[in-house]
Amino acid sequence: MSNVKNIDWGKLGFNYIKTDLRYVSIWKDGSWDDGKLVEDNNITISEGSTAIHYGQQCFEGLKAYRTAEGKIQLFRPDENAKRMNNSCKRLLMPELPIEKFVEACVQVVKANEAYVPPYGTGATLYLRPYVIGIGDNLGVKPAPEFLFGVFCSPVGPYFKGGLAPVNFMISDYDRAAPYGTGAAKVGGNYAASLLAHEIAVKRGFADCIYLDPLTHSKIEEVGAANFFGITKDNKFVTPKSDSILPSITKYSLMHVAKEYLGLEVEERDVLIDNLDEFKEAGACGTAAVITPIGGIEYKEELHVFHSETVVGPITRKLYDTLCGIQIGEVKAPEGWIVEVK
Ligand code: PLP
Ligand code: COI
């Protein structure tokens, strides 16, 4: 392995670490330029940029994984590209060709190869693509220019790590409105969630879970991940809602549950008053991977699923299979893995 950085990989959390190079491309006068890798991790933009005032921006998150043979691979980057284009459409920003998005990610990983954590450390290289509205502007309207960037940072666990269960609390706040931007990965959704997250953490929870904004009776998702539960008769169940982020991990797990583990899969309403239907539950996402949910606090009572300290057997199998695919130890479905050569 060439030139690996001297980092204590096992101790990494989910924090920004400056790497050597990042990718930047500008959209102006109707088209994207060729884009290039740059050393500077600061961006200089007009004080009138819509990204600053009106939240005209979106982002993505995906990871590069090191295999046992030392290869580096990306997990379904084309799905991130498609989702970013949906976010761009929703916020009147220009879309990107899928190949340009994937190529930018590949270039950034290659340029920062020394930061890709070694196999077996549990750490990965997190990629953060984004599009922001830039250029002189004052009124509420789309920006005259846009910047597409991709940077990376080696990361460890987002929550506790590995398969340690964590507890969540149901928030009194809403994350997104019906017909709002909940299904787009836009910063405004996360700005709106910061207070609820802080309250949850101060109360000793890993994060909060949001209910549907209209009736407050159905689970939507976790602050930074989707939700799934395993019913007592072994079905993989996950909420269906137009105001949650369509998680690539969640859709991958639905496939894994059905095709690899032989479970029935249901995407449907999950009633907060019916948590008893589940014997296991988890949060899933790129950063969260699969984090087992020990318990959920709702109306001052903690509902415990399998255990507050030990992962359930089906959640463990889902984790082993998904992570196995990501690090090249389990055969991936056609098109899921892009090798960085
Ligand atoms: N939901 C929210 C609010 C998220 O921030 C994320 C993270 O990206 C997810 C779900 C999981 O999505 P994915 O599996 O595509 O990372
Ligand atoms: C991700 O899992 O990629 C996320 O974006 C979650 C969070 C870090 C915002």
Side-chain angles (χ1 to χ4, degrees):
M1 222 183 292
S2 62
N3 181 26
V4 178
K5 291 282 163 188
N6 186 18
I7 292 174
D8 194 350
W9 307 103
K11 290 227 170 73
L12 288 176
F14 197 85
N15 301 303
Y16 179 84
I17 291 177
K18 182 175 177 244
T19 56
D20 295 340
L21 291 158
R22 66 275 307 116
Y23 176 94
V24 175
S25 176
I26 301 292
W27 185 94
K28 201 175 166 180
D29 302 327
S31 62
W32 290 104
D33 69 12
D34 285 342
K36 58 175 190 259
L37 292 170
V38 297
E39 281 183 15
D40 195 352
N41 68 331
N42 295 295
I43 302 169
T44 303
I45 55 174
S46 165
E47 61 193 352
S49 293
T50 57
I52 298 174
H53 304 277
Y54 306 127
Q56 195 186 24
Q57 61 84 250
C58 65
F59 66 99
E60 273 303 323
L62 68 158
K63 285 174 170 172
Y65 304 82
R66 179 85 69 177
T67 69
E69 305 82 50
K71 287 195 261 179
I72 302 172
Q73 51 191 38
L74 298 172
F75 181 70
R76 309 190 76 179
D78 52 318
E79 291 299 320
N80 292 92
K82 287 181 213 158
R83 188 171 65 190
M84 192 157 91
N85 280 342
N86 286 336
S87 301
C88 284
K89 264 190 258 173
R90 182 65 179 81
L91 263 57
L92 290 185
M93 302 196 286
E95 293 173 48
L96 282 142
I98 291 176
E99 313 74 58
K100 183 179 175 78
F101 178 100
V102 175
E103 179 52 27
C105 293
V106 167
Q107 278 189 34
V108 168
V109 175
K110 270 200 215 164
N112 296 292
E113 192 183 337
Y115 293 89
V116 182
Y119 172 80
T121 56
T124 49
L125 187 75
Y126 184 77
L127 297 172
R128 175 49 65 82
Y130 58 92
V131 175
I132 59 175
I134 60 172
D136 298 338
N137 181 65
L138 199 53
V140 181
K141 58 181 183 290
E145 293 170 27
F146 295 86
L147 184 153
F148 165 54
V150 183
F151 68 86
C152 65
S153 184
V155 296
Y158 189 75
F159 293 116
K160 249 192 214 163
L163 278 168
V166 300
N167 290 343
F168 294 107
M169 62 169 273
I170 297 295
S171 179
D172 292 336
Y173 289 96
D174 292 331
R175 172 181 172 273
Y179 306 105
T181 56
K185 201 161 171 63
V186 300
N189 295 339
Y190 296 83
S193 77
L194 291 174
L195 177 59
H197 174 79
E198 188 181 77
I199 291 169
V201 170
K202 276 192 179 151
R203 294 201 48 231
F205 295 94
D207 199 349
C208 51
I209 291 184
Y210 295 95
L211 298 181
D212 73 290
L214 208 54
T215 69
H216 284 188
S217 65
K218 297 175 260 180
I219 288 192
E220 290 258 287
E221 63 178 323
V222 181
N226 271 186
F227 172 89
F228 70 86
I230 307 296
T231 59
K232 289 181 174 153
D233 58 351
N234 293 331
K235 287 184 187 136
F236 178 97
V237 177
T238 185
K240 186 166 180 59
S241 163
D242 290 336
S243 49
I244 64 175
L245 193 75
S247 156
I248 295 159
T249 315
K250 186 264 277 289
Y251 286 112
S252 305
L253 280 178
M254 288 169 72
H255 183 85
V256 164
K258 186 161 181 271
E259 305 299 334
Y260 289 64
L261 306 188
L263 305 180
E264 258 184 72
V265 170
E266 289 178 357
E267 201 183 9
R268 54 134 161 109
D269 288 348
V270 172
L271 299 177
I272 187 64
D273 281 328
N274 197 21
L275 291 181
D276 265 343
E277 68 170 323
F278 299 118
K279 59 178 179 182
E280 296 179 35
C284 63
T286 300
V289 193
I290 292 180
T291 301
I293 302 180
I296 295 178
E297 192 201 67
Y298 178 54
K299 292 189 176 156
E300 287 163 26
E301 266 182 45
L302 185 71
H303 178 98
V304 176
F305 296 95
H306 180 73
S307 151
E308 275 186 85
T309 50
V310 180
V311 59
I314 296 184
T315 306
R316 174 182 285 280
K317 272 193 206 153
L318 288 166
Y319 179 94
D320 287 345
T321 312
L322 179 72
C323 295
I325 290 171
Q326 290 168 334
I327 58 170
E329 287 184 345
V330 173
K331 191 171 171 359
E334 187 69 30
W336 278 23
I337 297 295
V338 171
E339 194 183 334
V340 176
K341 289 190 207 155

